Amino acid sequence: GQQVMQIPQYQHVQEGEDFTTYCNSSTTLSNIQWYKQRPGGHPVFLIQLVKSGEVKKQKRLTFQFGEAKKNSSLHITATQTTDVGTYFCAGGGFKTIFGAGTRLFVKA
Amino acid sequence: NAGVTQTPKFRILKIGQSMTLQCTQDMNHNYMYWYRQDPGMGLKLIYYSVGAGITDKGEVPNGYNVSRSTTEDFPLRLELAAPSQTSVYFCASSGTGRGVNTEAFFGQGTRLTVV
């Protein structure tokens, strides 16, 4: 079945450092979504990418969708303590499959 | 606007007991999902539904059943609870736009412990 793999599993950064998480699918995706989950909370939607090669920005966050629509990345510039949480990618259309997530720790 | 509402928030079950996790959404979304999240892990899809009367298995359906008699409600049934079903359960819903599913809205989660 379809799999969505995400790396790294954990990332510890110093506040102000950059952070990137990568998402890879075994099959071509119709779209990719990114979510953030704060500790003890529920996943909250960040963005959706649909087009091949698409790049979108939200302030310090940059999202990319690969040309083959099989991979994606989320890059955070100059992390802040408020960025702490787990970042998930999700793909697969109506049968939305989540990656395992990357847990981000930010040290002040 | 309530969004996605799950009940209960917490529950402790004994091995072999059964229960139903309730989920309702007021956004008229066609797609609804049940996920489970084990401690420190990602979300695993249990069941999903693309509309009233239509359900299908996800990645980890064993030990669970669902029904979708209305657009709003998507209950998850646990029969013969086992310790391996100790987890946090999230219900979610999403709409459609331009032929793809749109963002998923999640409920607050149900924290289930089986002892």
Side-chain angles (χ1 to χ4, degrees):
Chain A
Q2 179 179 313
Q3 288 187 326
V4 177
M5 291 152 286
Q6 200 171 345
I7 56 169
Q9 190 175 2
Y10 302 96
Q11 183 86 54
H12 292 258
V13 299
Q14 195 75 30
E15 189 174 26
E17 292 182 337
D18 292 356
F19 159 77
T20 304
T21 174
Y22 301 91
C23 184
N24 291 287
S25 170
S26 56
T27 59
T28 302
L29 299 169
S30 56
N31 63 64
I32 190 97
Q33 298 174 338
W34 286 93
Y35 293 80
K36 177 182 178 181
Q37 184 179 30
R38 294 183 185 277
H42 60 280
V44 175
F45 176 82
L46 293 176
I47 207 161
Q48 176 167 280
L49 305 173
V50 179
K51 298 177 183 177
S52 168
E54 190 169 13
V55 179
K56 287 189 176 180
K57 291 189 176 184
Q58 289 180 349
K59 297 183 180 178
R60 295 178 295 103
L61 277 61
T62 302
F63 304 85
Q64 292 187 322
F65 201 10
E67 294 288 343
K69 301 184 75 173
K70 284 187 164 184
N71 57 75
S72 181
S73 65
L74 158 59
H75 180 82
I76 302 178
T77 303
T79 54
Q80 300 175 356
T81 54
T82 53
D83 295 325
V84 164
T86 302
Y87 293 85
F88 294 98
C89 63
F94 58 80
K95 186 178 178 179
T96 304
I97 303 294
F98 277 71
T102 296
R103 195 166 179 181
L104 175 62
F105 299 87
V106 181
K107 186 175 180 182
Chain B
N1 189 356
V4 178
T5 303
Q6 283 182 243
T7 56
K9 287 186 170 56
F10 303 93
R11 183 72 186 269
I12 298 175
L13 276 182
K14 293 185 178 179
I15 294 172
Q17 287 185 321
S18 57
M19 75 165 293
T20 300
L21 281 66
Q22 301 291 344
C23 176
T24 187
Q25 53 96 3
D26 62 1
M27 295 171 283
N28 200 33
H29 285 164
N30 282 330
Y31 301 154
M32 294 190 75
Y33 317 83
W34 274 106
Y35 292 92
R36 61 175 286 174
Q37 186 175 34
D38 297 335
M41 304 296 284
L43 296 151
K44 291 293 186 182
L45 181 63
I46 305 172
Y47 271 94
Y48 66 100
S49 169
V50 299
I54 306 169
T55 63
D56 206 349
K57 296 177 181 179
E59 303 169 271
V60 290
N62 291 344
Y64 307 94
N65 277 301
V66 294
S67 59
R68 184 95 182 270
S69 57
T70 66
T71 298
E72 295 78 19
D73 300 307
F74 191 41
L76 177 71
R77 178 82 176 162
L78 277 73
E79 305 281 2
L80 298 174
S84 61
Q85 293 178 305
T86 294
S87 191
V88 178
Y89 291 83
F90 288 104
C91 178
S93 73
S94 66
T96 56
R98 298 180 187 177
V100 297
N101 56 308
T102 56
E103 66 177 282
F105 293 83
F106 282 78
Q108 298 293 317
T110 296
R111 190 173 298 274
L112 176 68
T113 303
V114 182
V115 295

